[in-house]
Amino acid sequence: DAMVIQNPRYQVTQFGKPVTLSCSQTLNHNVMYWYQQKSSQAPKLLFHYYDKDFNNEADTPDNFQSRRPNTSFCFLDIRSPGLGDAAMYLCATSSDEVTGYSYNEQFFGPGTRLTVL
Amino acid sequence: DAKTTQPPSMDCAEGRAANLPCNHSTISGNEYVYWYRQIHSQGPQYIIHGLKNNETNEMASLIITEDRKSSTLILPHATLRDTAVYYCIVRVEGDYKLSFGAGTTVTVRA
């Protein structure tokens, strides 16, 4: 089944130690997103890629970076994680093409839960 | 500013219809109403969306009032697996951003 895959599901890092979260998709969607969801809060968009074009949200800290080497993969890099960065990180995809999916419906992965010690 | 208002929580009985309200009194003419849900420890899942006509799919029905200032998501026969946080989002089609509000925590009880 086509899907959005996030690895690992759980990630533990140390305060200040760079960490990379991974997302891959088999949907061949041209848009990929990263959301942050802190405990008991709603998901918050950090940035998204439209094809190769990176779009940062205005309030996303510089500590968060992203890479998209190809259509299928997208990475979230946290350069110096702080305790406040502990959260669930959700990757999502969508497509411009009306392929039978609801237009602009976003498909989410299961998330990576990040713990910062 | 929140574009939608939803009750923080609601309970419903298994097998009964669950009616989830959402107010969006400032909705613009080109904004759609989207519903997503998030089951515990999973990513959000798209349910349905609509502009002004009522919509139905295999998961739910969406009823939008004529003035478009409010809507109701109907889960026709709630099951325990429908326990989740339900998010009502207004969004211009073509706008890639989904702005999640607080949502409604729905608990389906046996």
Side-chain angles (χ1 to χ4, degrees):
Chain A
D1 287 344
M3 55 175 50
V4 181
I5 302 159
Q6 291 189 246
N7 285 308
R9 293 293 311 276
Y10 299 90
Q11 176 74 57
V12 179
T13 191
Q14 292 181 335
F15 183 93
K17 184 175 181 180
V19 65
T20 295
L21 308 182
S22 301
C23 177
S24 64
Q25 53 128 340
T26 60
L27 297 159
N28 202 34
H29 284 173
N30 63 317
V31 190
M32 294 187 77
Y33 311 77
W34 279 104
Y35 289 82
Q36 178 192 62
Q37 185 174 25
K38 295 187 177 180
S39 182
S40 301
Q41 296 184 18
K44 180 176 178 296
L45 183 65
L46 294 173
F47 26 59
H48 75 275
Y49 274 93
Y50 179 84
D51 294 329
K52 294 182 180 180
D53 294 332
F54 178 70
N55 298 273
N56 200 26
E57 292 299 299
D59 56 355
T60 298
D62 291 341
N63 199 25
F64 292 88
Q65 305 285 322
S66 186
R67 295 170 284 135
R68 189 179 185 185
N70 53 52
T71 300
S72 300
F73 286 87
C74 196
F75 300 98
L76 170 62
D77 300 310
I78 308 176
R79 294 193 295 185
S80 181
L83 299 179
D85 296 327
M88 174 78 83
Y89 290 89
L90 296 159
C91 175
T93 72
S94 69
S95 172
D96 267 1
E97 298 175 9
V98 181
T99 58
Y101 301 119
S102 296
Y103 183 64
N104 273 344
E105 171 188 352
Q106 291 188 16
F107 292 80
F108 284 80
T112 294
R113 184 167 296 282
L114 178 69
T115 299
V116 182
L117 300 177
Chain B
D1 290 340
K3 287 191 168 185
T4 64
T5 304
Q6 298 176 253
S9 64
M10 62 183 294
D11 287 0
C12 68
E14 187 179 22
R16 304 292 295 271
N19 298 295
L20 283 62
C22 180
N23 287 321
H24 30 80
S25 58
T26 61
I27 193 170
S28 301
N30 61 347
E31 286 183 315
Y32 286 68
V33 180
Y34 284 77
W35 284 84
Y36 280 73
R37 74 179 182 183
Q38 187 172 22
I39 296 170
H40 183 64
S41 295
Q42 296 184 21
Q45 176 190 23
Y46 167 84
I47 301 173
I48 199 167
H49 78 285
L51 182 63
K52 51 185 175 182
N53 296 322
N54 298 338
E55 302 287 345
T56 295
N57 63 20
E58 65 279 3
M59 289 184 69
S61 295
L62 175 60
I63 308 298
I64 303 174
T65 58
E66 192 168 345
D67 63 7
R68 302 208 324 121
K69 292 185 177 181
S70 66
S71 60
T72 301
L73 178 75
I74 301 172
L75 308 177
H77 304 287
T79 71
L80 298 179
R81 289 175 294 180
D82 292 321
T83 293
V85 179
Y86 286 77
Y87 297 102
C88 171
I89 301 165
V90 296
R91 175 179 177 228
V92 175
E93 196 172 52
D95 181 356
Y96 292 99
K97 186 169 182 175
L98 277 178
S99 295
F100 290 87
T104 296
T105 299
V106 173
T107 303
V108 180
R109 302 192 186 278

